[in-house]
Amino acid sequence: PGYRKQLLSRLENHLFPFIGDKPVAELEPAEILAAVRYTEERGAVEMAHKLVQLAGKICSYARLVGYATFNAAAGLGEALSPLPPAKHRAAITAPHEIGKLLLAIETYPGDISMRYALQILPYVFVRSKELRCTEWEEIDFDKAVWIIPAGRMKMKRPHIVPLARQVVKLFEELRQWTGKGRLVFPSPFSASKPITDVGLLNALRRLGYGRDEMSIHGFRGMASTLLNEQGYRSDVIEAQLAHGERNAIRAAYNHAEYMEERRAMMQAWADYLDELRAGA
């Protein structure tokens, strides 16, 4: 529903004012391009490309079901200014600096939910929302696994996170503080709401790490970089990062095939982080 609302808003704000009242069968490429150019000329080049892609999906559907004889938006992206270089989110990957970061996190003086979220995040390297909105029922302490439901995953598939001994211990400690509620990381302002992305980021800034040094997403980049350097199979790392697998059958196969490797990798990664923190 949220994604649908986002796409409809783009149409209503950027395309409908120009071509919204024209039958799709009568649309010409130049008309769609003129509508998108208005957004591009305001400096929103990335949004202009997104609009072309969205228009292309709509016009492709119209052609397939017989509302139009051709896709009027096909190839229009080539007429736009090129996209600016992708901005990579800051991540610390130097081992000695990682140790310092982990040590700093242990001394975080703020809210208990925020502190444990920061402590657990490096071990599990999931996305912010996947961590922040965790509910206690998702964690199986006996099997040492955390099953994130599909609705919270970017790829809309359930994701299993094998929990290293260190992570189980942290969750058990936190359960003494927040275990009576539904949320693992409740907001300090409302027990019915999780901590926020901004709050987590501000906690990192409070520890002295600027936007060019480290980001919340950077924990994923940190793990990916070092695990690849340590020789773990890229397929196993990608599976644990929950990156999209286009082939559904292959995705299901990988999900089962790599679980033991993932469990071993996650425990070794946790032990490695502990060594870095101790060395700091």
Side-chain angles (χ1 to χ4, degrees):
Y3 186 55
R4 177 187 183 279
K5 183 178 179 181
Q6 180 188 68
L7 294 186
L8 186 58
S9 175
R10 288 176 184 172
L11 291 169
E12 291 173 339
N13 293 327
H14 300 282
L15 294 184
F16 288 174
F18 298 93
I19 57 175
D21 60 350
K22 186 150 189 173
V24 68
E26 298 176 14
L27 273 175
E28 295 292 334
E31 294 173 313
I32 300 175
L33 184 60
V36 174
R37 284 268 193 233
Y38 184 79
T39 298
E40 181 190 33
E41 288 168 0
R42 290 190 293 110
V45 177
E46 186 175 356
M47 176 57 72
H49 279 269
K50 289 179 178 179
L51 292 172
V52 164
Q53 291 173 358
L54 179 55
K57 290 179 180 180
I58 294 170
C59 291
S60 176
Y61 176 78
R63 183 186 67 81
L64 290 172
V65 297
Y67 296 151
T69 57
F70 71 104
N71 181 344
L76 291 184
E78 297 176 14
L80 298 176
S81 301
L83 284 167
K87 293 182 180 179
H88 296 286
R89 296 173 213 185
I92 293 173
T93 56
H96 65 284
E97 293 297 334
I98 293 174
K100 292 179 182 179
L101 171 61
L102 298 176
L103 198 59
I105 287 173
E106 283 206 337
T107 65
Y108 178 72
D111 173 65
I112 194 77
S113 290
M114 212 71 72
R115 175 154 61 89
Y116 273 90
L118 284 176
Q119 284 183 286
I120 291 170
L121 192 54
Y123 289 115
V124 294
F125 48 86
V126 295
R127 299 177 181 89
S128 173
K129 182 180 179 181
E130 295 160 8
L131 179 79
R132 292 184 295 101
C133 300
T134 307
E135 299 185 8
W136 283 113
E137 64 178 16
E138 298 169 13
I139 300 171
D140 188 328
F141 285 92
D142 294 330
K143 296 180 180 178
V145 294
W146 167 24
I147 303 177
I148 306 175
R152 208 159 71 247
M153 295 300 301
K154 184 177 181 179
M155 297 302 156
K156 302 306 177 187
R157 292 194 300 267
H159 181 54
I160 297 178
V161 181
L163 301 179
R165 293 185 301 273
Q166 294 89 327
V167 183
V168 172
K169 182 175 181 291
L170 287 169
F171 274 127
E172 287 176 339
E173 290 176 4
L174 182 57
R175 187 161 56 167
Q176 298 178 39
W177 295 88
T178 69
K180 292 183 179 180
R182 173 177 56 89
L183 295 170
V184 175
F185 305 103
S187 165
F189 308 107
S190 173
S192 63
K193 295 181 179 179
I195 56 175
T196 65
D197 197 39
V198 172
L200 203 54
L201 186 60
N202 285 341
L204 199 58
R205 300 290 175 259
R206 189 174 176 183
L207 292 174
Y209 288 90
R211 60 185 300 175
D212 296 329
E213 293 179 275
M214 187 61 182
S215 63
I216 298 302
H217 197 83
F219 288 105
R220 290 169 61 78
M222 173 197 295
S224 177
T225 299
L226 270 73
L227 287 170
N228 274 289
E229 287 180 357
Q230 291 171 9
Y232 289 96
R233 290 203 294 153
S234 59
D235 282 353
V236 177
I237 298 170
E238 293 295 293
Q240 193 54 57
L241 286 165
H243 282 162
E245 170 59 67
R246 294 180 181 275
N247 186 308
I249 296 175
R250 176 176 159 84
Y253 175 79
N254 289 353
H255 176 78
E257 180 72 8
Y258 299 151
M259 187 50 62
E260 289 309 310
E261 284 187 75
R262 284 162 60 184
R263 183 177 291 281
M265 180 182 72
M266 296 298 275
Q267 184 58 59
W269 172 249
D271 294 340
Y272 175 67
L273 291 181
D274 284 1
E275 290 175 9
L276 295 181
R277 183 173 58 249

